[in-house]
Amino acid sequence: MPKVGMEPIRRRSLVEAAISAIHARGSLDITIRDIARRAGVSQGLAHHYFGSKDALIVSAMRHLLTEYGRQVRLEMKKADTPRARISAIIRASLGREQFKPETVSVWLVFYVHAQESKEAHALLSIYARRLCSNLVYNLKPLVGPQARAVAEGVASMIDGLYIRKALGSLDRDVTAEKLVEDYVERQLQGGHNNEV
């Protein structure tokens, strides 16, 4: 008879094992068996909870997106102006928390996986829409109708610099966060509203 309350614990363990397996392999060239072994459960149980490797991979990405969202909310709690909230989003997106080796591995693999998986693509689209929406909301009081264009620029810089930093191709003397903040400042100087 299964132990009551074990399902959420086992699901989380399998998700964490999937993240660990992707990191170790550097790709999605892993099996449910590999993941189950890492989680200390049977392959049958992994199939029972998730149905397929793809569903488990998508759950792993959901987990990372949930953690990212939690980090954004934590940073936003410290901000009390639109400009401070923009910095909070940048800090949460490019902060140390997002650059744990396992997190980086899964994000990089996930970007590639989203090209062939509808579910992964949908998750990546949700992430992109939320990021842009949060930025637009806070940029509107500062740059008015240019908010959407500026938000797209900020979001593109965040994603691009994340990849460059993750791959180690960003100059060590330059911080990704500072590059994005400089871009925001240049855009605000061209805006009509200087409320900061």
Side-chain angles (χ1 to χ4, degrees), residues 95-167:
R96 186 176 304 139
E97 218 28 53
Q98 296 306 315
F99 287 95
K100 293 177 184 171
E102 289 185 341
T103 302
V104 168
S105 295
V106 175
W107 268 107
L108 294 177
V109 167
F110 191 67
Y111 277 117
V112 174
H113 186 54
Q115 301 303 306
E116 57 192 39
S117 163
K118 286 182 182 177
E119 282 188 89
H121 188 270
L123 268 182
L124 198 55
S125 295
I126 289 168
Y127 152 75
R129 282 195 307 271
R130 282 186 186 157
L131 175 59
C132 201
S133 174
N134 282 332
L135 290 166
V136 168
Y137 179 82
N138 289 293
L139 282 161
K140 260 190 181 155
L142 304 172
V143 296
Q146 292 100 357
R148 169 71 53 192
V150 175
E152 288 290 348
V154 172
S156 295
M157 286 191 74
I158 286 171
D159 286 344
L161 288 167
Y162 180 86
I163 291 169
R164 288 190 64 197
K165 184 173 177 179
L167 295 174

Side-chain angles (χ1 to χ4, degrees), residues 32-58:
I32 286 277
R33 172 185 273 162
D34 297 332
I35 296 167
R37 190 176 303 135
R38 281 177 185 269
V41 301
S42 72
Q43 184 177 343
L45 197 58
H47 275 289
H48 171 72
Y49 287 142
F50 292 98
S52 69
K53 180 178 93 169
D54 196 51
L56 181 49
I57 299 304
V58 168

Side-chain angles (χ1 to χ4, degrees), residues 2-3 15 21 24 38 54 62-63 67 75-76 83 87 95 107 130 134 137 158 160 167 169 175-176 185:
K3 293 182 183 175
V15 164
R38 281 177 185 269
D54 196 51
R62 258 194 206 101
H63 172 74
E67 290 298 307
E75 291 294 340
M76 292 280 258
R83 179 64 183 95
S87 289
W107 268 107
R130 282 186 186 157
N134 282 332
Y137 179 82
I158 286 171
L167 295 174
S169 61
T175 68
E185 280 306 312

